[in-house]
Amino acid sequence: MYVIGTAGHVDHGKSTLVKALTDIDPDRLPEEKEREMTVDLGFAWLTLPSGREVSIVDVPGHERFIKNMLAGVGGIDLALLIVAADESVMPQTREHLAILDLLQIRRSLVVVTKTDLADEIMVELVKAEIEDALEGTSFQGAQMVGVSAYTGDGLDDLKAAIDAILDDTQARSDLGRPRLPVDRSFSISGFGTVVTGTLIDGGFAVGQEVELATSGQKARIRGLQSHQSHVDQTQPGVRLAVNLSGIAREDVPRGEVLTTGGWLHPTYRLDARLRMVKGGAHSLRHNQGVSFHLFTSESNARVRLLDTDRLAPGQEGWVQILLSEPIPAVKGDFFILRSAEDTLGGGQVVDPAPRRRHRRFSPEVVERMMMLDQGTGEDILFTVAEQREPCELAELSQHSNLPVPEVLERIAVLESQGHVAVLGELGVDNGAVVFSTQGWDVLKSKLNMALQTYHNQYPLRRGAPVQEIRSRLGLSLPVYQRVVTRLAAEGALVEDGTNLKTPDHQVALTPDMEKKAAEFVAALEREPYSPPTDQSVDREILAVLADQGKVVKINDSIVFAASAFEEMRGRIVEHMRAQGEQGTITVAETRTMFNTSRKYVLPLLEYLDQQQITRRVGDERVLR
Ligand SMILES: Nc1nc2c(ncn2[C@@H]2O[C@H](COP(=O)(O)OP(=O)(O)OP(=O)(O)O)[C@@H](O)[C@H]2O)c(=O)[nH]1
Ligand SMILES: [Mg+2]
């Protein structure tokens, strides 16, 4: 489906032409009918001679309503630039032309209206003037058709010309990420909230859950209509009325974007390539305040010029735009900048959510933006990965404006060429994360450094607690888990329970420590069942002895030599077994057995309970 938009100076016959073509009066507001002037957007549709159905968005020509005009032309495929034969090129002819040119509207056609008011020579003169105005714009060389809505003259030629152009126009791409920039919302009693707009980048279906990208609110699609007929699902490029449940009309103002959840987020900051209007009246200074228009939305903004102090009419530059109201944008979207008086320029979003405020006059910043703007799919994905790593697939897709299947394909190529590292299996929705190879190497060495530092600090510990290393690296848990799994598989680190260590880390005691440790164990062994509890030994050394299996730590004060502990455990178990299935042992029996005191026996039996060797029943222990 295609959407056609009108454009041109006030009173040049846009709405009358739409009515003549479609039999639908696009001026629906009472004040429009009364003043014979379009104030806000109008909508109509017709079936062309080929049988193709097309939508028409009719815009106001009056300078005062230029914002409404901007809200209407964002999603159109073909622009009809309308010039009255009795007035020729006028200020809003030029301004609308400049806007269509900046938005890079794909196809264009010039319509000279009111030919009944001019003779043939005058019409030719007007066409020559238009030709001059089109020079240097994307409209240059556009076909021109003369019509009179009054006599009907030329209307058939116009329809045929539109058909021919659309025959030759590619259907809108379906990226599977529908966006409906809302241009109207109203409520119908018995139905509730209805919003309208031109659908781009994907389709919607009845019953689907949707999200408002700016506010984040959710709603459900109750019904869909295109050209006043019910439809169950849609493709991109249609004019659509969406009946929503779960949301009030007031919560969906013009400028909202209806989309599927999770991928599109509003941004306060975007990077862009800005082109100033050729032959415009004003230049743009660094940090100047402007109004920013993207599809149907509008926000006040400041423009940071990144590679110059001033942009004169006709010049281009790299900019970072700071918005006062957040707007959901996608890489590649076209926007317009206006001052209070006129259209200054416009351009294309290069990065919809740059991570930082860029330094000005930085060659690296400009180089990255150029890569995002003009690079191949691989270049773009690599640049996004480098800037935002670790990156998930959805993030790569949003920031590159490439559909997920293409992202998967191209990331696989980048991985095979050694430019990126992919952690986890590449696939839809399985949480794989992508690093640039350099970023991955940096992370690996940081992790290695963190482990080394830990081992140096605590040479007697087996390893560093997993969570401590994670917080040092500042990684999210899912990413960290992928990182550890990958590095363990590569043999770059060893996972040991809840500890991590470098593969070559080994706990080694110094000779002095060895001596102290041996003395300590010997002291324990001298009194195996009542070992001394006043022996001071370094906690780290004690941990090593426990790790090595030479001692068993029962609690903070009681430590048995391993041989003693094994013997006691064996004899206690044996005592119970000897009595048959239901064998028991008491504290007193244990005490007698080892000729020791309650001080040792109580903690020992509790320890055996903890180890699930015994279980306490009243005053006795039974075997587990
Ligand atoms: N003679 C003649 N008059 C026309 C023709 N088309 C429109 N008009 C008249 O021109 C005036 C303006 O027409 P509109 O269609 O409202 O112009 P518009 O471009 O939609 O104006 P805005 O929406 O306000 O920018 C009206 O009085 C129309 O009747 C035509 O083909 N011939
Ligand atoms: Mg009009």
Side-chain angles (χ1 to χ4, degrees):
M1 284 279 247
Y2 297 98
V3 179
I4 299 171
T6 63
H9 197 73
V10 64
D11 261 357
H12 275 203
K14 297 180 289 297
S15 303
T16 310
L17 176 65
V18 171
K19 171 101 199 292
L21 287 171
T22 65
D23 219 18
I24 298 169
D25 186 355
D27 287 336
R28 62 209 146 75
L29 306 173
E31 63 173 304
E32 289 178 321
K33 297 207 192 281
E34 199 177 297
R35 288 159 76 185
E36 274 198 30
M37 182 191 280
T38 306
V39 171
D40 206 346
L41 301 173
F43 306 98
W45 63 93
L46 84 152
T47 305
L48 290 167
S50 62
R52 173 192 284 127
E53 204 171 278
V54 293
S55 315
I56 302 191
V57 177
D58 182 43
V59 307
H62 197 286
E63 200 187 349
R64 211 146 41 88
F65 308 124
I66 188 91
K67 287 177 177 182
N68 293 337
M69 180 272 179
L70 286 169
V73 290
I76 65 176
D77 302 286
L78 164 64
L80 301 184
L81 183 66
I82 284 156
V83 184
D86 59 337
E87 281 198 346
S88 192
V89 175
M90 297 292 277
Q92 266 62 55
T93 317
R94 292 188 193 280
E95 184 167 18
H96 286 196
L97 174 61
I99 288 167
L100 298 170
D101 185 37
L102 291 168
L103 294 176
Q104 293 188 28
I105 300 303
R106 298 191 294 162
R107 310 309 302 261
S108 52
L109 182 58
V110 176
V111 187
V112 178
T113 52
K114 309 195 190 181
T115 50
D116 56 296
L117 296 181
D119 58 27
E120 242 169 73
I121 297 171
M122 234 170 102
V123 171
E124 286 314 308
L125 271 173
V126 168
K127 284 185 176 172
E129 265 186 52
I130 298 171
E131 223 166 296
D132 285 348
L134 301 185
E135 219 181 281
T137 72
S138 56
F139 275 58
Q140 189 171 329
Q143 189 182 343
M144 299 195 200
V145 183
V147 301
S148 165
Y150 278 16
T151 65
D153 217 31
L155 288 179
D156 289 339
D157 292 345
L158 176 58
K159 288 182 193 171
I162 292 174
D163 244 342
I165 290 177
L166 294 181
D167 276 342
D168 194 29
T169 303
Q170 270 198 341
R172 292 209 150 239
S173 56
D174 186 344
L175 303 176
R177 296 181 316 196
R179 284 191 288 166
L180 187 89
V182 172
D183 47 38
R184 265 191 309 165
S185 61
F186 44 91
S187 59
I188 300 177
S189 72
F191 284 93
T193 304
V194 175
V195 302
T196 69
T198 303
L199 182 63
I200 54 175
D201 292 353
F204 279 138
V206 172
Q208 194 174 0
E209 174 161 302
V210 286
E211 191 175 288
L212 305 174
T214 310
S215 71
Q217 284 171 289
K218 299 226 189 306
R220 191 170 291 282
I221 297 181
R222 269 177 79 176
L224 292 170
Q225 276 195 10
S226 190
H227 302 163
Q228 289 184 359
S229 305
H230 286 279
V231 288
D232 288 330
Q233 55 186 43
T234 61
Q235 264 110 47
V238 291
R239 284 292 311 169
L240 205 59
V242 185
N243 183 199
L244 292 173
S245 63
I247 197 104
R249 196 231 119 174
E250 299 74 41
D251 291 335
V252 205
R254 174 177 285 182
E256 250 300 1
V257 179
L258 196 68
T259 181
T260 48
W263 69 276
L264 182 61
H265 307 289
T267 178
Y268 277 102
R269 173 158 72 194
L270 29 90
D271 292 347
R273 178 81 179 154
L274 175 65
R275 289 161 62 205
M276 297 292 288
V277 172
K278 287 197 193 90
H282 299 100
S283 40
L284 184 74
R285 295 178 320 276
H286 173 62
N287 259 337
Q288 187 175 326
V290 295
S291 66
F292 174 88
H293 300 262
L294 181 106
F295 292 109
T296 60
S297 70
E298 184 192 340
S299 168
N300 288 327
R302 266 188 315 115
V303 186
R304 306 188 62 234
L305 303 181
L306 297 178
D307 54 358
T308 180
D309 286 318
R310 197 172 150 273
L311 278 177
Q315 289 186 326
E316 298 187 17
W318 298 106
V319 300
Q320 186 162 57
I321 294 170
L322 308 178
L323 302 164
S324 10
E325 307 284 336
I327 286 179
V330 169
K331 179 180 185 298
D333 281 351
F334 288 95
F335 63 87
I336 294 291
L337 297 185
R338 291 197 90 243
S339 68
E341 298 104 54
D342 56 8
T343 299
L344 296 169
Q348 205 168 8
V349 174
V350 170
D351 186 343
R355 282 225 163 141
R356 52 187 72 84
R357 229 178 123 97
H358 296 312
R359 269 180 303 127
R360 299 180 65 210
F361 303 105
S362 152
E364 297 96 84
V365 166
V366 167
E367 196 180 316
R368 257 204 319 272
M369 289 175 74
M370 278 170 75
M371 197 57 103
L372 284 176
D373 190 38
Q374 283 149 21
T376 62
E378 272 96 20
D379 291 339
I380 292 170
L381 284 169
F382 179 73
T383 310
V384 172
E386 212 180 17
Q387 281 180 280
R388 317 188 70 86
E389 64 196 350
C391 252
E392 291 192 9
L393 290 176
E395 200 178 356
L396 285 168
S397 168
Q398 190 196 351
H399 289 270
S400 63
N401 197 25
L402 298 171
V404 169
E406 187 177 341
V407 171
L408 286 171
E409 232 170 77
R410 293 189 187 270
I411 287 292
V413 172
L414 285 168
E415 189 186 22
S416 71
Q417 293 169 343
H419 295 303
V420 299
V422 181
L423 274 55
E425 185 130 352
L426 259 185
V428 183
D429 286 340
N430 60 5
V433 289
V434 177
F435 285 87
S436 71
T437 304
Q438 203 191 356
W440 174 235
D441 288 344
V442 169
L443 179 68
K444 274 200 289 198
S445 73
K446 269 195 199 161
L447 199 148
N448 196 32
M449 194 97 84
L451 288 180
Q452 286 295 354
T453 309
Y454 194 92
H455 293 331
N456 290 341
Q457 203 173 350
Y458 304 105
L460 300 181
R461 293 194 189 166
R462 270 186 303 168
V466 175
Q467 292 312 325
E468 180 161 337
I469 297 297
R470 175 168 90 89
S471 63
R472 280 200 202 181
L473 297 174
L475 293 175
S476 73
L477 189 57
V479 170
Y480 182 61
Q481 277 163 348
R482 293 203 175 279
V483 169
V484 168
T485 308
R486 169 71 167 261
L487 290 178
E490 284 180 4
L493 57 76
V494 177
E495 266 186 291
D496 178 3
T498 55
N499 291 306
L500 287 186
K501 57 175 203 157
T502 58
D504 52 0
H505 172 67
Q506 255 166 13
V507 175
L509 298 176
T510 62
D512 184 43
M513 288 169 168
E514 289 281 11
K515 195 167 149 244
K516 281 187 183 142
E519 282 167 9
F520 175 66
V521 175
L524 297 181
E525 282 168 345
R526 271 195 295 278
E527 296 280 350
Y529 315 125
S530 316
T533 53
D534 58 351
Q535 291 270 326
S536 70
V537 67
D538 189 285
R539 277 183 50 206
E540 301 285 332
I541 295 180
L542 181 58
V544 173
L545 288 172
D547 273 353
Q548 290 174 342
K550 291 183 179 163
V551 301
V552 177
K553 194 176 164 209
I554 301 297
N555 63 23
D556 278 342
S557 62
I558 296 172
V559 180
F560 289 109
S563 53
F565 173 79
E566 284 307 319
E567 188 198 336
M568 292 164 93
R569 188 180 58 100
R571 283 173 61 186
I572 290 167
V573 170
E574 189 46 41
H575 176 93
M576 287 184 279
R577 285 227 179 102
Q579 302 162 42
E581 284 240 328
Q582 300 297 312
T584 61
I585 195 164
T586 63
V587 171
E589 282 168 341
T590 314
R591 207 179 54 199
T592 315
M593 183 183 280
F594 299 109
N595 188 24
T596 181
S597 67
R598 291 172 69 86
K599 174 177 139 186
Y600 295 100
V601 170
L602 284 181
L604 174 65
L605 291 176
E606 272 164 23
Y607 183 80
L608 292 177
D609 292 343
Q610 263 173 36
Q611 300 290 305
Q612 316 229 325
I613 294 166
T614 54
R615 187 157 53 88
R616 186 176 171 165
V617 181
D619 285 341
E620 302 179 320
R621 265 24 190 229
V622 295
L623 276 174
R624 275 241 182 211

